[in-house]
Amino acid sequence: MEHTFLIYNTLHRQKERFEPLHAPNVGMYVCGPTVYGDPHLGHARPAITFDVLFRYLRHLGYKVRYVRNITDVGHLEHDADEGDDKIEKKARLEQLEPMEIAQHYTNRYHEAMNALNVLPPSIEPHATGHIIEQQELVQRIMDNGYAYESNGSVYFDIEKFNKKFCYGKLSGRNLDDVINNSRQLDGVGEKRNQVDFALWKKAQPEHIMRWRSPWSEGFPGWHCECTAMGKKYLGDHFDIHGGGMDLVFPHHECEIAQAAASQGDEMVKYWMHNNMITINGQKMGKSLGNFITLEQFFTGNHASLEQAYGPMTIRFFILGAHYRGTVDFSNDALKASEKGLERLMQGIKDLDRVPVSAKCDPQTKKTIDELRSKCYDAMNDDMQTQIVISHLFEACHLINSLIDRKASICEDSLKELRETMNLFAFDILGLKAAGNTDNAAREEAYGKVVDMVLSLRSKAKSEKDWATSDKIRDELAAAGFEVKDTKDGATWRLNK
């Protein structure tokens, strides 16, 4: 089945038909974490967003090379020109080697991504493993006249670049005004203009992480790593570059400039950005001190949390909104996601209890035949995962009607319903049946016990011992188990 897949290109500010440069091969680069602290909810959103994109592109038949980097050097505060390297600063505080810090938090990130059922990328390069490639990038930019050396550091010349190209096209900023305003500061510091950004920084004596270069012993600027590693693994031109919306400026804007300055044209065809996770209307992040780590969500060990929330609840919470919309954290929203996830997983589980008829209700068949195309339509419209979920909820309502024999279904339609729900819930949205609750093993034990009790109730009913039968039903209800009698016997579910 052929699909027209539309994605929103941040560069052009509109939805565009996805047409790979080298179909069926697709190159996708997503900015990964800076590994100097435990992963938090803000890390989960881009990881899950681009995991769904990765899954869906592969489902459509593309061969995807997905590159997601690890930033373990050069990620400085603000514009990557001032302040301490975050990893080095953490290493000093904890009296460890910087690579010990980077490795520890890389491991923590991987553990969290595995819990969230985020697939590993095709390639996961580290910035420290590509210093040579970053130096080569800097040299090419200098050779083309768009960078200059100053006291051992190298800066990108935005004013010169802006005369031939357009700096600011991704973020929509007017750099002419910024450059003119910065001229009053000419001669202050090493840069010709205050808007120029560092490609290479000379290391101060106390700086631990440093490498030899033609310009000085130092380290690359933050923006270099993604451009250099994107070129190495995806070529001078590739399809998708993604990340959080907070990276549009300056990071991705600088990447566009570096690529054009080094090779004469743009490197990326489609720019995609997910929106932020907020808490009380503010972006959630380490710099604001209002973040909650994923481990704290999983354990409930944070003052802002009323309970623990499982990894699949977090994933469902994020997928419940369009990736370009803001998601505001609240316990009520997470509890609603938890209940919604349980409802969906229960609906899929209840497919095993649907009675099959020789003939399908015409309306039932029509509903099932349309379900798959509706879900595809939602995914093809810039990954509207929240609409896919709403269609799956409608299918759960149908399943309840089928169990209650308010509608009938034939074997072929039941097979189609099962395949569609499994495809979109598990393969594309990446949910896990066993991950809908942290008590899956306990629920399995519940199931065995309840089934045994219901068999005793069934025996009591067959012996017309109505008092015992009603007592078992009422006591199960008091314990939180809803029992429903049908023509084929009793069914149950755990109310939460």
Side-chain angles (χ1 to χ4, degrees):
M1 184 176 183
E2 196 157 324
H3 299 273
T4 298
F5 181 36
L6 300 178
I7 60 175
Y8 186 88
N9 191 340
T10 308
L11 184 64
H12 300 149
R13 294 166 180 76
Q14 63 183 20
K15 292 179 186 177
E16 298 179 4
R17 177 171 180 156
F18 181 66
E19 296 178 326
L21 294 168
H22 307 290
N25 298 309
V26 172
M28 182 168 80
Y29 190 104
V30 175
C31 291
T34 304
V35 285
Y36 69 100
D38 278 333
H40 55 77
L41 190 61
H43 289 122
R45 193 168 195 194
I48 291 170
T49 295
F50 291 101
D51 179 60
V52 171
L53 178 60
F54 183 33
R55 290 169 180 268
Y56 192 57
L57 288 174
R58 294 201 306 179
H59 169 70
L60 293 180
Y62 294 110
K63 182 179 180 181
V64 185
R65 176 175 286 180
Y66 176 18
V67 180
R68 185 185 68 205
N69 69 293
I70 295 290
T71 297
D72 52 4
V73 68
H75 190 171
L76 309 182
E77 300 286 353
H78 307 301
D79 64 354
D81 295 341
E82 306 296 338
D84 291 330
D85 183 295
K86 295 176 180 180
I87 295 169
E88 184 170 306
K89 184 176 182 180
K90 188 87 170 179
R92 286 199 194 96
L93 289 173
E94 299 190 16
Q95 296 185 323
L96 296 170
E97 285 290 327
M99 285 298 98
E100 285 184 272
I101 295 294
Q103 187 63 57
H104 172 75
Y105 289 112
T106 298
N107 294 343
R108 297 283 287 171
Y109 179 76
H110 287 157
E111 290 166 5
M113 294 305 103
N114 183 59
L116 292 169
N117 201 28
V118 170
L119 298 175
S122 312
I123 303 172
E124 191 175 57
H126 290 234
T128 52
H130 297 79
I131 300 298
I132 292 175
E133 288 84 355
Q134 293 177 74
Q135 290 180 351
E136 290 173 346
L137 172 68
V138 175
Q139 189 62 60
R140 281 198 298 272
I141 295 172
M142 292 186 74
D143 291 343
N144 290 339
Y146 294 109
Y148 58 91
E149 181 182 351
S150 178
N151 296 328
S153 294
V154 180
Y155 295 97
F156 191 93
D157 192 336
I158 287 183
E159 183 173 20
K160 186 171 182 180
F161 175 83
N162 203 49
K163 290 177 180 177
K164 181 175 180 180
F165 301 94
C166 178
Y167 184 88
K169 61 170 62 179
L170 185 66
S171 60
R173 300 189 179 215
N174 186 340
L175 261 295
D176 287 331
D177 292 340
V178 177
I179 290 171
N180 290 334
N181 291 335
S182 73
R183 283 203 173 98
Q184 60 184 323
L185 298 175
D186 283 355
V188 178
E190 299 177 339
K191 296 187 286 186
R192 295 175 183 171
N193 282 298
Q194 294 306 302
V195 292
D196 293 347
F197 60 89
L199 297 173
W200 184 266
K201 284 290 289 182
K202 180 180 180 180
Q204 297 302 312
E206 67 276 7
H207 206 284
I208 303 171
M209 301 178 81
R210 57 173 69 211
W211 291 265
R212 292 180 180 177
S213 79
W215 317 287
S216 65
E217 277 203 357
F219 48 92
W222 168 35
H223 310 306
C224 288
E225 62 182 87
C226 293
T227 307
M229 293 188 288
K231 282 176 176 287
K232 180 177 178 65
Y233 296 109
L234 299 174
D236 288 345
H237 304 95
F238 59 89
D239 299 293
I240 298 171
H241 197 321
M245 196 170 287
D246 56 332
L247 297 178
V248 169
F249 189 89
H251 187 46
H252 289 165
E253 196 75 78
C254 292
E255 282 197 61
I256 290 176
Q258 289 171 162
S262 64
Q263 65 188 41
D265 60 1
E266 293 182 20
M267 184 168 64
V268 178
K269 186 173 182 181
Y270 304 100
W271 287 89
M272 294 183 68
H273 295 89
N274 63 273
N275 214 322
M276 299 294 100
I277 300 278
T278 60
I279 179 167
N280 298 323
Q282 273 193 317
K283 172 196 164 186
M284 181 180 287
K286 286 188 173 71
S287 60
L288 295 174
N290 64 353
F291 67 97
I292 303 174
T293 69
L294 290 170
E295 179 68 20
Q296 288 169 328
F297 275 104
F298 301 159
T299 62
N301 186 24
H302 191 280
S304 298
L305 300 175
E306 295 176 6
Q307 64 176 69
Y309 300 98
M312 286 302 102
T313 295
I314 299 298
R315 187 175 181 108
F316 192 80
F317 169 66
I318 289 172
L319 294 176
H322 188 238
Y323 76 93
R324 288 193 287 113
T326 302
V327 175
D328 196 52
F329 156 80
S330 72
N331 281 280
D332 287 344
L334 282 170
K335 289 176 183 176
S337 294
E338 186 175 56
K339 289 180 179 178
L341 177 63
E342 288 166 358
R343 177 186 166 196
L344 177 57
M345 293 298 109
Q346 185 63 51
I348 294 173
K349 183 179 179 182
D350 285 345
L351 283 166
D352 294 334
R353 301 196 291 113
V354 171
V356 177
S357 301
K359 294 180 66 177
C360 251
D361 219 19
Q363 184 57 46
T364 299
K365 187 176 187 308
K366 181 175 182 293
T367 300
I368 293 171
D369 289 344
E370 291 176 349
L371 176 62
R372 187 183 292 251
S373 62
K374 284 182 176 180
C375 289
Y376 273 126
D377 287 346
M379 285 300 298
N380 290 333
D381 185 17
D382 194 30
M383 296 205 312
Q384 300 275 355
T385 56
Q386 79 284 6
I387 295 179
V388 173
I389 290 171
S390 72
H391 292 320
L392 296 179
F393 278 156
E394 290 171 6
C396 290
H397 179 73
L398 173 62
I399 291 167
N400 289 333
S401 297
L402 292 168
I403 291 173
D404 293 340
R405 295 184 181 274
K406 295 177 181 177
S408 62
I409 189 171
C410 60
E411 187 171 341
D412 287 346
S413 289
L414 180 59
K415 180 182 178 183
E416 167 66 13
L417 178 59
R418 187 190 306 277
E419 289 178 354
T420 299
M421 295 195 75
N422 286 340
L423 169 64
F424 284 95
F426 301 136
D427 297 346
I428 293 174
L429 296 185
L431 300 169
K432 289 196 299 186
N436 66 316
T437 173
D438 292 331
N439 301 314
R442 185 167 60 187
E443 285 195 11
E444 184 178 356
Y446 284 161
K448 293 178 181 178
V449 173
V450 174
D451 287 343
M452 179 183 68
V453 173
L454 287 179
S455 68
L456 295 175
R457 180 171 179 263
S458 177
K459 181 181 179 183
K461 288 178 69 176
S462 67
E463 296 173 352
K464 301 188 185 305
D465 184 358
W466 309 119
T468 300
S469 171
D470 291 345
K471 182 179 180 182
I472 291 174
R473 181 197 63 206
D474 294 343
E475 290 191 2
L476 283 172
F481 297 91
E482 178 187 346
V483 176
K484 184 180 290 188
D485 290 310
T486 70
K487 293 180 181 179
D488 300 319
T491 64
W492 67 271
R493 70 176 59 194
L494 178 61
N495 292 322
K496 298 183 182 180

